[in-house]
Amino acid sequence: MSLSLLRAGARILLLPLVLSLFLLAPGTAHAKDAELIPSTAVQSKAKTQAEMKARAERRVEKRKRIAAKRKKAVVRVLRAVKSRAGKPYAYGSAGPNSFDCSGLTQWSYRKAGKSLPRTSGAQASKAQRVKKPRKGDLVFFAKGGRVYHVGIYAGNNSLWHASRPGTPVRKEKIWNAAHFYGRV
């Protein structure tokens, strides 16, 4: 092999190595420029992280708006049902001066801008079951797989309801274990 061919091969192999050392050596203008201008990959990663952070913040804000809206609706439901305290029970009545159980829940939720079906069974089928109730959730009582009564959860194991003839709308403790909670 000729000497010129060896020299050419050495240049091809060594030239990139020497140039990279020169460009990355501390104190050179090129190294400083490299520090000031982030690579495209770094810019993409920073942009992606910023977008992810912005999306997370939007999700948090949306949850806060939903929670605030729900809280207002719960306040309106509870205010409505409390305003009916002492009104008489009447089978098939949906207020405003007398109620049966599902009529009371339907009327109270309507005052908060929410629509419920007329019967306790239909209300149970529309509600999403929950294990840990919050104020304003529905409390359903069932026997033999059939829902026979509904009220509005008032917290501390109590509910507002229209229970039976001769007993007006009132708040009382939940009296048996055969119940479940639903959220609309």
Side-chain angles (χ1 to χ4, degrees):
M1 242 204 289
S2 75
L3 188 60
S4 61
L5 203 59
L6 286 174
R7 285 183 186 163
R11 283 186 196 136
I12 290 173
L13 293 174
L14 290 177
L15 186 60
L17 180 65
V18 171
L19 282 175
S20 65
L21 290 174
F22 174 74
L23 290 174
L24 297 176
T28 65
H30 297 293
K32 288 179 186 172
D33 290 344
E35 289 173 9
L36 294 176
I37 303 171
S39 71
T40 306
V42 172
Q43 287 174 340
S44 286
K45 186 175 180 181
K47 186 177 178 182
T48 303
Q49 288 174 339
E51 288 171 355
M52 288 172 50
K53 183 178 179 183
R55 273 185 276 179
E57 289 171 356
R58 285 193 301 270
R59 281 193 302 268
V60 167
E61 288 303 314
K62 183 178 179 180
R63 283 189 205 118
K64 285 180 182 178
R65 283 192 307 272
I66 290 169
K69 188 176 178 181
R70 180 182 175 0
K71 187 175 182 179
K72 287 178 185 177
V74 167
V75 167
R76 286 191 297 257
V77 166
L78 292 173
R79 188 180 302 139
V81 75
K82 287 176 189 177
S83 76
R84 302 293 95 188
K87 297 292 182 184
Y89 176 93
Y91 181 79
S93 182
N97 296 314
S98 62
F99 298 92
D100 67 3
C101 65
S102 58
L104 178 65
T105 56
Q106 183 187 46
W107 185 87
S108 299
Y109 268 73
R110 189 179 324 120
K111 291 296 178 182
K114 294 196 175 224
S115 172
L116 281 180
R118 178 62 186 94
T119 65
S120 57
Q123 290 176 7
S125 66
K126 182 176 180 181
Q128 178 185 0
R129 283 193 182 204
V130 293
K131 290 185 186 249
K132 295 182 180 180
R134 294 187 231 160
K135 288 182 178 182
D137 286 343
L138 296 172
V139 183
F140 297 100
F141 295 85
K143 184 175 185 178
R146 184 180 155 272
V147 174
Y148 67 88
H149 188 63
V150 63
I152 298 173
Y153 189 68
N156 297 322
N157 199 39
S158 62
L159 80 157
W160 284 96
H161 68 136
S163 62
R164 59 188 167 276
T167 305
V169 172
R170 66 181 179 182
K171 179 181 173 183
E172 67 180 330
K173 291 287 182 185
I174 296 174
W175 61 90
N176 79 20
H179 66 276
F180 62 94
Y181 303 101
R183 188 166 294 148
V184 180

